């Protein structure tokens, strides 16, 4: 089932997984044991544009990388739910929805692998994924980006929603 313009136009909240969505899923291990990830600058720009346009942006990830958390905080992402058991991601999501009184039909969740399945399979959530997501995730996603995780998938999805709402490209109006 493909997402429609009407479904994109209802979205008020973006929720992203980290590894495999904001990153390409690679984790580089340093001699110190520290891990680092790479995030696409265009994906970062899209998140900034979404925040400036008044969208809520949340992160739900079992990863608890301090560098990623610091980067998100510096980007002014306020709703960051990182760490905890992989099988508890859905509880973090439900806690966020309940805490903030979010309407699931206004949420677009972007995930890429099996731990995202319980959230993405919820009937009212608009589910999206990168092109290289797990087969099971692609099967339930209403929108599959032509871009891979960490390589523009976030930009693509955010841009699709913002274009449907006439909010993409506002930076061009200031030139």
């Amino acid at each position: 089932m493909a997402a429609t313009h009407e479904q994109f136009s209802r979205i008020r909240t973006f929720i992203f997984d980290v590894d495999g969505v904001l990153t390409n899923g690679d984790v580089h291990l340093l001699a110190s044991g520290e891990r680092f990830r790479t995030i696409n600058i265009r994906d970062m720009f899209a998140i900034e544009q979404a925040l400036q346009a008044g969208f809520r942006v949340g992160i739900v990830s079992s990863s608890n990388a301090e560098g990623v958390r610091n980067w998100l905080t510096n980007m002014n992402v306020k709703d960051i739910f990182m760490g905890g058991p992989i099988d508890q991601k859905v509880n973090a999501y439900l806690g966020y929805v309940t805490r903030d009184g979010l309407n699931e039909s206004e949420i677009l969740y972007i995930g890429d692998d099996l731990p995202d399945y319980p959230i993405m399979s919820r009937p009212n959530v608009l589910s999206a994924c990168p092109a290289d997501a797990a087969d099971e995730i692609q099967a339930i996603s209403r929108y599959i980006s032509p871009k891979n995780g960490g390589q523009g998938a976030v930009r693509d999805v955010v841009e699709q929603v913002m274009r449907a709402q006439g909010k993409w490209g506002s930076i061009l109006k200031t030139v």
Side-chain angles (χ1 to χ4, degrees):
M1 166 186 346
T4 65
H5 180 70
E6 188 273 325
Q7 288 173 311
F8 284 144
S9 67
R10 286 195 314 248
I11 299 306
R12 303 286 172 259
T13 303
F14 293 102
I15 302 177
F16 305 108
D17 178 29
V18 174
D19 293 322
V21 173
L22 288 169
T23 76
N24 67 1
D26 289 346
V27 176
H28 303 274
L29 302 174
L30 302 177
S32 65
E34 185 181 357
R35 303 177 198 175
F36 77 90
R37 294 153 172 85
T38 303
I39 297 175
N40 185 291
I41 193 74
R42 290 188 180 124
D43 289 344
M44 292 170 60
F45 177 76
I47 291 171
E48 288 174 347
Q49 293 304 295
L51 288 166
Q52 288 175 11
F55 288 90
R56 294 182 74 115
V57 173
I59 303 297
V60 175
S61 176
S62 57
S63 170
N64 198 18
E66 205 54 40
V68 174
R69 182 184 299 278
N70 291 340
W71 165 72
L72 291 164
T73 301
N74 289 335
M75 295 259 310
N76 293 316
V77 174
K78 308 268 187 263
D79 301 314
I80 303 170
F81 305 92
M82 294 177 64
I86 289 174
D87 63 344
Q88 296 302 309
K89 283 180 81 167
V90 69
N91 291 338
Y93 165 82
L94 291 171
Y96 176 35
V97 168
T98 301
R99 182 194 81 183
D100 291 12
L102 302 177
N103 180 340
E104 284 192 293
S105 67
E106 297 175 346
I107 295 173
L108 189 146
Y109 183 93
I110 306 172
D112 73 304
D113 210 346
L114 299 182
D116 301 304
Y117 192 96
I119 299 168
M120 295 177 71
S121 62
R122 295 181 64 78
N124 294 326
V125 173
L126 182 56
S127 55
C129 70
D132 60 345
D135 292 342
E136 295 87 351
I137 296 302
Q138 289 188 32
I140 62 167
S141 292
R142 295 191 195 147
Y143 180 77
I144 300 173
S145 173
K147 307 284 187 178
N148 287 340
Q151 298 177 355
V154 168
R155 162 72 178 256
D156 172 58
V157 173
V158 169
E159 188 174 332
Q160 294 290 333
V161 168
M162 290 182 71
R163 282 189 188 279
Q165 297 182 19
K167 295 179 180 179
W168 184 256
S170 61
I171 194 169
L172 300 175
K173 296 172 186 159
T174 62
V175 177

